[in-house]
Amino acid sequence: AQSVSQHNHHVILSEAASLELGCNYSYGGTVNLFWYVQYPGQHLQLLLKYFSGDPLVKGIKGFEAEFIKSKFSFNLRKPSVQWSDTAEYFCAVISYSSASKIIFGSGTRLSIRP
Amino acid sequence: DTGVSQDPRHKITKRGQNVTFRCDPISEHNRLYWYRQTLGQGPEFLTYFQNEAQLEKSRLLSDRFSAERPKGSFSTLEIQRTEQGDSAMYLCASSLDGGAVGNTIYFGEGSWLTVV
C-alpha cells in the first residue's frame, strides 16, 4: 500500500542542537514532496516543497530537506533549532498517479528545551 | 492567516445528533479538500472537489458523511447520527488546480468535533 512513514514520533532537543527528521514514502514513479508544520493551536503551514530540479530544497525559518530518490526519502533538517520550533511536523506526498490528494505521514512532535 | 476559513471551530454534540461544518476556501481556488485528523496522527484524506464536482471519496467517508460544494465556492461536510469514533478535527484545504502541478495546498484551522 502507498504510505508515508515518519520514524520519529517524538524528538526532544536542546536549543542550538541540529535537527534531522526522517521521512520515507512507498510510492513509485514521480512524486511531489512536502513538509508541513503545525504549531500549537495553529493550522498546518507549508515549510517547503519539492517538485523537480535541485533535490536540496530550502524552506522558511532555516529549514531544508533533501530528496534522495534511490532511498525514497525526504528528510527535514535544520542546523540549529530554536525554542520557537516546538511543533508537530508532517511529511506529505502527492504521487502523479493519485494527483488528486496529498497523503500525510503520522507526524513527528518536536520539543525544544530552552 | 491562510485564507481558508472553517466554522465552527469547535463543536460538542451528543451521540446520534447530526453536525455540519462549513469551509470557505481561498476565493480563486477551484480545488477543495476535506481531511480528518485525530490526536497523534497525520491528516487523513476524506474527499475533494474540483469546482462543484466531487471527484474522489475515501473509504473513510461512510454513508453517514456527505459533502457538498453547490456553487463551487464554499463547502459543507455533514455527519449524520454521530458516533464517538467521529471525534476528530476536520480540516479543509484548497488549492488552485492540483498540488501535483506545483500549487500549494492551503489548510484552514480546522473544526474540532467532540461526540459525547
Side-chain angles (χ1 to χ4, degrees):
Chain A
Q2 298 172 330
S3 65
V4 179
S5 299
Q6 292 183 244
H7 314 295
N8 311 106
H9 296 292
H10 189 194
V11 173
I12 303 172
L13 295 173
S14 298
E15 277 192 303
S18 64
L19 169 72
E20 181 160 3
L21 301 182
C23 173
N24 288 90
Y25 62 93
S26 64
Y27 296 84
T30 304
V31 294
N32 295 330
L33 299 155
F34 308 82
W35 276 96
Y36 279 83
V37 61
Q38 192 169 30
Y39 297 103
Q42 296 189 26
H43 57 268
L44 282 165
Q45 300 174 42
L46 182 67
L47 265 182
L48 47 79
K49 60 184 178 183
Y50 170 81
F51 285 87
S52 63
D54 189 346
L56 185 62
V57 179
K58 294 192 184 298
I60 61 171
K61 304 187 181 187
F63 286 91
E64 65 179 30
E66 185 175 12
F67 171 50
I68 303 179
K69 189 174 182 180
S70 61
K71 294 184 177 180
F72 296 88
S73 71
F74 190 56
N75 292 353
L76 181 71
R77 301 195 292 248
K78 186 171 183 178
S80 177
V81 294
Q82 302 171 310
W83 179 81
S84 59
D85 294 323
T86 296
E88 187 112 23
Y89 292 81
F90 295 95
C91 180
V93 174
I94 291 179
S95 76
Y96 275 37
S97 62
S98 63
S100 58
K101 57 187 182 285
I102 188 169
I103 303 299
F104 287 86
S106 57
T108 297
R109 184 157 62 102
L110 177 64
S111 300
I112 305 298
R113 292 189 291 249
Chain B
D1 185 5
T2 64
V4 179
S5 300
Q6 293 189 244
D7 183 71
R9 294 291 313 281
H10 298 90
K11 177 74 177 178
I12 300 173
T13 191
K14 291 184 178 179
R15 191 176 56 167
Q17 297 294 305
N18 299 344
V19 296
T20 299
F21 300 111
R22 177 183 169 117
C23 171
D24 287 273
I26 294 171
S27 60
E28 65 270 22
H29 285 183
N30 51 8
R31 287 219 175 180
L32 186 147
Y33 307 81
W34 284 100
Y35 283 78
R36 181 176 71 185
Q37 186 177 16
T38 53
L39 284 175
Q41 298 296 319
E44 298 171 293
F45 171 78
L46 292 178
T47 188
Y48 92 98
F49 293 83
Q50 175 84 14
N51 299 312
E52 66 274 11
Q54 188 174 18
L55 297 187
E56 186 172 345
K57 290 169 39 173
S58 162
R59 281 173 286 183
L60 291 174
L61 216 63
S62 75
D63 291 345
R64 297 184 296 105
F65 288 71
S66 62
E68 295 182 343
R69 195 183 183 196
K71 297 183 180 179
S73 56
F74 74 91
S75 175
T76 57
L77 176 68
E78 182 183 16
I79 309 173
Q80 296 182 324
R81 306 180 303 281
T82 52
E83 301 173 355
Q84 287 187 321
D86 297 330
S87 295
M89 181 161 68
Y90 290 86
L91 291 166
C92 179
S94 72
S95 70
L96 188 62
D97 297 321
V101 297
N103 296 306
T104 297
I105 299 174
Y106 294 90
F107 284 82
E109 296 190 10
S111 293
W112 274 106
L113 173 65
T114 302
V115 181
V116 297

